[in-house]
Coordinates of all heavy atoms in Angstrom, one line a residue:
L188 N 0.5 25.2 -34.0 CA -0.5 25.2 -32.9 C -0.5 26.6 -32.2 O 0.4 27.3 -32.2 CB -0.1 24.1 -31.8 CG 0.1 22.7 -32.3 CD1 0.5 21.8 -31.2 CD2 -1.1 22.2 -33.0
R189 N -1.7 26.8 -31.6 CA -1.8 28.0 -30.7 C -2.5 27.6 -29.4 O -3.3 26.7 -29.4 CB -2.6 29.1 -31.5 CG -4.1 28.8 -31.7 CD -4.8 30.0 -32.4 NE -6.1 29.7 -32.7 CZ -7.2 29.9 -31.9 NH1 -7.0 30.3 -30.7 NH2 -8.4 29.6 -32.3
L190 N -2.3 28.4 -28.4 CA -2.9 28.2 -27.1 C -4.3 28.7 -27.1 O -4.5 29.9 -27.4 CB -2.0 28.9 -26.0 CG -2.6 28.8 -24.6 CD1 -2.6 27.4 -24.1 CD2 -1.7 29.7 -23.7
L191 N -5.2 27.9 -26.8 CA -6.6 28.3 -26.7 C -6.9 28.8 -25.2 O -7.4 29.9 -25.0 CB -7.6 27.2 -27.0 CG -9.1 27.5 -27.1 CD1 -9.4 28.5 -28.2 CD2 -9.9 26.2 -27.2
Q192 N -6.5 28.0 -24.3 CA -6.6 28.4 -22.9 C -5.8 27.4 -22.0 O -5.4 26.4 -22.4 CB -8.1 28.4 -22.4 CG -8.7 27.0 -22.2 CD -10.2 27.1 -21.7 OE1 -11.0 27.7 -22.3 NE2 -10.4 26.5 -20.5
R193 N -5.6 27.8 -20.8 CA -4.9 27.0 -19.8 C -5.9 26.4 -18.8 O -6.9 27.1 -18.5 CB -3.8 27.8 -19.0 CG -2.7 28.3 -19.9 CD -1.7 29.0 -19.1 NE -0.5 29.4 -19.9 CZ -0.4 30.5 -20.6 NH1 -1.4 31.4 -20.7 NH2 0.7 30.7 -21.3
T194 N -5.7 25.3 -18.3 CA -6.5 24.7 -17.3 C -6.1 25.2 -15.9 O -5.0 25.8 -15.8 CB -6.5 23.1 -17.3 OG1 -5.2 22.7 -17.0 CG2 -6.8 22.6 -18.7
A195 N -6.9 24.9 -14.9 CA -6.6 25.3 -13.5 C -5.3 24.5 -13.1 O -5.2 23.3 -13.5 CB -7.7 25.0 -12.6
P196 N -4.5 25.1 -12.3 CA -3.3 24.4 -11.8 C -3.6 23.3 -10.8 O -4.6 23.4 -10.1 CB -2.4 25.5 -11.2 CG -3.4 26.5 -10.8 CD -4.5 26.5 -11.8
T197 N -2.8 22.2 -10.8 CA -2.8 21.2 -9.8 C -1.4 20.8 -9.4 O -0.4 21.3 -10.1 CB -3.5 19.9 -10.4 OG1 -2.8 19.4 -11.6 CG2 -4.9 20.1 -10.8
P198 N -1.2 20.1 -8.3 CA 0.1 19.7 -8.0 C 0.8 18.9 -9.1 O 0.2 18.2 -9.8 CB -0.1 18.8 -6.8 CG -1.4 19.2 -6.2 CD -2.2 19.6 -7.3
G199 N 2.1 19.2 -9.2 CA 2.9 18.7 -10.4 C 3.1 17.1 -10.3 O 2.7 16.5 -9.3
L200 N 3.7 16.6 -11.4 CA 3.9 15.2 -11.5 C 4.7 14.7 -10.3 O 5.8 15.1 -10.1 CB 4.6 14.8 -12.8 CG 3.6 14.4 -13.9 CD1 2.7 15.6 -14.3 CD2 4.3 13.9 -15.1
P201 N 4.2 13.7 -9.5 CA 4.8 13.3 -8.3 C 5.9 12.3 -8.5 O 5.9 11.4 -9.3 CB 3.7 12.6 -7.5 CG 2.7 12.1 -8.6 CD 2.8 13.1 -9.7
L202 N 7.0 12.5 -7.8 CA 8.1 11.5 -7.6 C 7.6 10.5 -6.6 O 7.1 10.9 -5.5 CB 9.4 12.2 -7.2 CG 10.0 13.2 -8.3 CD1 11.0 14.1 -7.6 CD2 10.5 12.4 -9.4
I203 N 7.8 9.3 -6.9 CA 7.3 8.2 -6.0 C 8.4 7.2 -5.7 O 9.4 7.0 -6.4 CB 6.1 7.5 -6.6 CG1 6.4 6.9 -8.0 CG2 4.9 8.5 -6.7 CD1 5.3 6.0 -8.5
T204 N 8.1 6.4 -4.6 CA 8.9 5.3 -4.2 C 7.9 4.2 -3.8 O 6.8 4.5 -3.5 CB 9.9 5.6 -3.1 OG1 10.8 4.5 -3.0 CG2 9.3 5.9 -1.8
S205 N 8.4 3.0 -3.7 CA 7.6 1.8 -3.3 C 7.0 2.0 -1.9 O 7.6 2.7 -1.0 CB 8.4 0.5 -3.3 OG 7.6 -0.5 -2.7
Q206 N 5.9 1.5 -1.6 CA 5.3 1.5 -0.3 C 6.2 0.7 0.7 O 6.1 1.0 1.9 CB 3.9 0.8 -0.3 CG 3.1 0.9 1.0 CD 2.7 2.4 1.2 OE1 2.6 3.2 0.3 NE2 2.6 2.7 2.5
H207 N 7.1 -0.1 0.2 CA 8.0 -0.9 1.0 C 9.3 -0.2 1.4 O 10.1 -0.7 2.2 CB 8.4 -2.2 0.3 CG 7.2 -3.1 0.0 ND1 6.5 -3.8 0.9 CD2 6.5 -3.3 -1.2 CE1 5.5 -4.4 0.4 NE2 5.5 -4.1 -0.9
T208 N 9.5 1.0 0.8 CA 10.7 1.8 1.1 C 10.6 2.3 2.6 O 9.6 3.0 2.9 CB 10.9 3.0 0.2 OG1 11.0 2.5 -1.2 CG2 12.1 3.8 0.5
P209 N 11.6 1.9 3.4 CA 11.5 2.4 4.8 C 11.5 3.9 4.9 O 12.1 4.6 4.1 CB 12.8 1.8 5.5 CG 13.1 0.6 4.6 CD 12.7 1.1 3.2
A210 N 10.9 4.4 6.0 CA 10.8 5.8 6.3 C 12.1 6.5 6.3 O 12.3 7.6 5.7 CB 10.1 6.1 7.6
A211 N 13.2 5.9 6.8 CA 14.5 6.5 6.9 C 15.1 6.7 5.5 O 15.7 7.7 5.2 CB 15.4 5.7 7.8
Q212 N 14.9 5.7 4.6 CA 15.4 5.7 3.3 C 14.6 6.8 2.5 O 15.2 7.5 1.7 CB 15.2 4.4 2.6 CG 16.2 3.3 3.2 CD 16.2 2.0 2.4 OE1 15.4 1.8 1.5 NE2 17.1 1.2 2.7
L213 N 13.3 6.9 2.7 CA 12.6 7.9 2.0 C 13.1 9.3 2.4 O 13.2 10.2 1.6 CB 11.1 7.8 2.4 CG 10.1 8.9 1.9 CD1 10.2 9.1 0.4 CD2 8.7 8.6 2.3
A214 N 13.3 9.5 3.7 CA 13.9 10.8 4.2 C 15.2 11.1 3.6 O 15.5 12.3 3.2 CB 14.0 10.8 5.7
T215 N 16.1 10.1 3.4 CA 17.4 10.3 2.8 C 17.2 10.6 1.3 O 17.9 11.5 0.8 CB 18.2 9.0 2.9 OG1 18.5 8.7 4.3 CG2 19.5 9.1 2.2
L216 N 16.3 10.0 0.7 CA 16.1 10.3 -0.8 C 15.6 11.7 -0.9 O 16.1 12.4 -1.8 CB 15.0 9.3 -1.3 CG 14.8 9.2 -2.8 CD1 16.1 8.8 -3.5 CD2 13.7 8.1 -3.0
Q217 N 14.7 12.2 -0.1 CA 14.2 13.5 -0.2 C 15.4 14.5 0.1 O 15.5 15.6 -0.6 CB 13.1 13.8 0.8 CG 11.8 13.0 0.5 CD 10.8 13.1 1.6 OE1 11.1 13.1 2.8 NE2 9.5 13.2 1.2
R218 N 16.2 14.2 1.1 CA 17.3 15.1 1.4 C 18.3 15.2 0.2 O 18.8 16.3 -0.2 CB 18.1 14.6 2.6 CG 19.3 15.5 2.9 CD 20.0 15.0 4.2 NE 20.4 13.6 4.2 CZ 21.5 13.2 3.6 NH1 22.3 14.0 3.0 NH2 21.8 11.9 3.7
L219 N 18.6 14.1 -0.4 CA 19.5 14.1 -1.6 C 18.9 14.8 -2.8 O 19.7 15.5 -3.5 CB 19.9 12.6 -1.9 CG 20.8 11.9 -0.9 CD1 21.0 10.5 -1.3 CD2 22.1 12.6 -0.7
L220 N 17.7 14.6 -3.0 CA 17.0 15.3 -4.1 C 17.1 16.8 -3.9 O 17.3 17.6 -4.8 CB 15.6 14.9 -4.3 CG 15.4 13.5 -4.8 CD1 13.9 13.0 -4.6 CD2 15.7 13.4 -6.3
A221 N 16.9 17.3 -2.7 CA 17.0 18.7 -2.3 C 18.4 19.2 -2.5 O 18.7 20.2 -3.1 CB 16.5 18.9 -0.9
D222 N 19.4 18.3 -2.0 CA 20.8 18.7 -2.2 C 21.2 18.8 -3.6 O 22.1 19.6 -4.0 CB 21.7 17.6 -1.5 CG 21.6 17.7 0.0 OD1 21.0 18.6 0.6 OD2 22.1 16.7 0.7
S223 N 20.6 18.0 -4.5 CA 21.0 18.0 -5.9 C 20.8 19.3 -6.6 O 21.5 19.7 -7.5 CB 20.3 16.8 -6.6 OG 18.9 17.1 -6.8
M224 N 19.8 20.0 -6.1 CA 19.4 21.3 -6.7 C 20.5 22.3 -6.5 O 20.6 23.3 -7.2 CB 18.1 21.8 -6.2 CG 16.9 20.9 -6.4 SD 16.6 20.7 -8.2 CE 16.8 18.9 -8.3
Q225 N 21.4 22.1 -5.5 CA 22.4 23.1 -5.1 C 23.8 22.6 -5.6 O 24.8 23.3 -5.3 CB 22.5 23.3 -3.6 CG 21.1 23.7 -3.0 CD 20.5 24.9 -3.6 OE1 21.3 25.9 -3.9 NE2 19.2 24.9 -3.8
A226 N 23.9 21.5 -6.3 CA 25.2 20.9 -6.7 C 25.7 21.6 -7.9 O 25.1 21.5 -9.0 CB 25.1 19.4 -6.9
P227 N 26.8 22.3 -7.9 CA 27.3 23.1 -9.0 C 27.6 22.2 -10.2 O 27.3 22.6 -11.4 CB 28.6 23.7 -8.5 CG 28.5 23.7 -7.0 CD 27.7 22.5 -6.7
E228 N 28.0 21.0 -10.0 CA 28.4 20.1 -11.1 C 27.1 19.6 -11.8 O 27.2 19.1 -13.0 CB 29.2 18.9 -10.6 CG 28.5 17.9 -9.6 CD 28.6 18.4 -8.1 OE1 28.8 19.6 -7.9 OE2 28.6 17.5 -7.3
L229 N 25.9 19.7 -11.2 CA 24.7 19.3 -11.9 C 24.0 20.5 -12.6 O 23.0 20.2 -13.2 CB 23.7 18.7 -10.8 CG 24.0 17.3 -10.4 CD1 23.0 16.8 -9.4 CD2 24.0 16.3 -11.6
A230 N 24.5 21.7 -12.5 CA 23.8 22.8 -13.1 C 23.5 22.6 -14.6 O 22.4 22.9 -15.0 CB 24.6 24.1 -12.8
P231 N 24.5 22.1 -15.4 CA 24.2 21.9 -16.8 C 23.1 20.9 -17.1 O 22.2 21.1 -17.9 CB 25.5 21.5 -17.4 CG 26.6 22.0 -16.5 CD 25.9 21.9 -15.1
A232 N 23.1 19.8 -16.3 CA 22.1 18.8 -16.5 C 20.8 19.3 -16.1 O 19.8 19.0 -16.8 CB 22.5 17.5 -15.7
L233 N 20.7 20.0 -15.0 CA 19.4 20.5 -14.5 C 18.8 21.5 -15.5 O 17.6 21.5 -15.8 CB 19.5 21.1 -13.1 CG 19.8 20.1 -12.0 CD1 20.2 20.9 -10.7 CD2 18.6 19.2 -11.7
A234 N 19.7 22.3 -16.0 CA 19.2 23.3 -17.0 C 18.7 22.6 -18.3 O 17.6 23.0 -18.8 CB 20.4 24.2 -17.4

Side-chain angles (χ1 to χ4, degrees):
L188 305 178
R189 68 177 175 88
L190 175 65
L191 184 70
Q192 72 176 63
R193 294 181 175 89
T194 66
T197 58
L200 266 63
L202 296 164
I203 57 171
T204 190
S205 169
Q206 190 66 28
H207 301 286
T208 300
Q212 291 187 350
L213 173 57
T215 298
L216 195 56
Q217 291 172 324
R218 176 176 60 80
L219 292 176
L220 288 167
D222 290 348
S223 72
M224 300 298 120
Q225 309 302 321
E228 63 271 30
L229 281 180
L233 291 171

